[in-house]
Structures are given as structure tokens and as C-alpha cells.
Amino acid sequence: MAETLSALSDLQQAAVVEAPRYVQKLDKYGRAYATGKRKNAVARVWIKPGAGKITVNGRDVETYFARPVLRMILQQPLAVAKRLGQYDLIVSVAGGGLSGQAGAVRHGLAKALTNFEPELRSPLKREGFLTRDSRVVERKKYGKRKARRSFQFSKR
């Protein structure tokens, strides 16, 4: 330690640290951008104020994510933030399957919402939407049938 403290009041003054301030981050078109990831899927998400139109890879969300569960996963951050129908979403997603892609879009959308409205960070963080789900498929090992499954053992 470079400096020595002589009194308890000096310690209290030294311990005061400002919390990080989150600011709005927009591009020149007034959009907020974020990248979301889940399994092997990577989603790039742009949001801007609008009527609630969602475009995924140039297609409508009902066409791309045909199952209602996937669309529900995708809209969870908007529902928690009480912003359903207030933002237009342009999404580019690649890799993985549909479930991983929906999770990646959810992660990217939550991050983009915090870039657009920094005060939404705490409700989204509380629900766990800003945390990247780091679980990925375990690799196959040699001498095994799958990642952990062995071949059937026979004594005779």
C-alpha cells in the first residue's frame, strides 16, 4: 500500500467508490445494438422505437420461429420491461438450432434494451436475461460411444 491511514475516517473516505453509470448507446440511425449468444447460436439485435414489428433474418418472426414457445422466449425481456409493441426489432441470427437461436435473440434483446434504456438494467438482470447461458454440448471423447456413454461391456 502506497499510503498509510491514520484514522478510521480516512478509511471510510477511501472506501467510497462510485457505482458504474450506464448510459444510452445509440448508432447514427437512433438504434441500439447488442449481440446475444446461446449454445452455438449468435444473434445480432438492433432495436428502435416503432410499432412492434420483429424481423428475423429478413423474415417475419411468425415465419422464422413457427413454434409459439420460441416466440414467447424471444419476447420475455419486452414483457418484463413492459415494452411489448413499442420497439421494432431487426435480428440477424446464425448457428445452432432454433431453440438456441431463440435464446440468443432473448439475450441480445435484453442487452440492446439496456443500451437503449439503461434504467431497465436492474429488472432484466433480476430475471437473468443479461447472463449468458454458458452451457454447451460436451465434446465426444475417443474410446467412448458419445461424450460419456461407453460401449456395452460383455464378460464373455
Side-chain angles (χ1 to χ4, degrees), residues 10 43 55 58 69 72 77 87 92 102 104 115 117 124 139 150:
D10 296 340
T55 308
V69 173
M72 183 265 303
Y87 289 108
S92 171
N115 287 342
E117 294 184 57
L124 291 171
R139 76 172 189 89
S150 297

Side-chain angles (χ1 to χ4, degrees), residues 105-116:
V105 172
R106 179 178 80 171
H107 183 226
L109 174 57
K111 285 169 61 176
L113 277 171
T114 59
N115 287 342
F116 202 90

Side-chain angles (χ1 to χ4, degrees), residues 1 3-17:
M1 294 190 39
E3 60 188 62
T4 57
L5 303 174
S6 59
L8 185 62
S9 61
D10 296 340
L11 179 65
Q12 289 173 346
Q13 290 173 355
V16 175
V17 177

Side-chain angles (χ1 to χ4, degrees), residues 5 12 15 17 23 27 66-67 70 87 94 99 102 121 145 152:
L5 303 174
Q12 289 173 346
V17 177
V23 294
D27 63 3
R67 296 201 317 251
L70 298 178
Y87 289 108
S99 175
R121 182 174 169 81
R145 204 165 88 187
Q152 183 172 344

Side-chain angles (χ1 to χ4, degrees), residues 12-122:
Q12 289 173 346
Q13 290 173 355
V16 175
V17 177
E18 283 288 320
R21 304 256 320 146
Y22 295 99
V23 294
Q24 188 180 47
K25 297 177 191 161
L26 302 178
D27 63 3
K28 63 181 179 181
Y29 302 109
R31 304 177 302 185
Y33 167 79
T35 304
K37 295 181 180 183
R38 169 89 168 85
K39 293 186 178 178
N40 283 334
V42 179
R44 299 183 300 161
V45 181
W46 290 269
I47 64 168
K48 63 181 179 182
K53 187 173 186 292
I54 303 173
T55 308
V56 181
N57 289 352
R59 290 189 271 172
D60 193 44
V61 70
E62 281 82 18
T63 310
Y64 195 85
F65 292 116
R67 296 201 317 251
V69 173
L70 298 178
R71 290 196 300 270
M72 183 265 303
I73 288 171
L74 187 127
Q75 294 182 346
Q76 281 176 334
L78 292 171
V80 166
K82 298 180 181 69
R83 302 288 191 275
L84 283 171
Q86 294 182 17
Y87 289 108
D88 288 342
L89 275 63
I90 298 115
V91 179
S92 171
V93 65
L98 285 177
S99 175
Q101 287 184 352
V105 172
R106 179 178 80 171
H107 183 226
L109 174 57
K111 285 169 61 176
L113 277 171
T114 59
N115 287 342
F116 202 90
E117 294 184 57
E119 63 273 5
L120 291 178
R121 182 174 169 81
S122 77

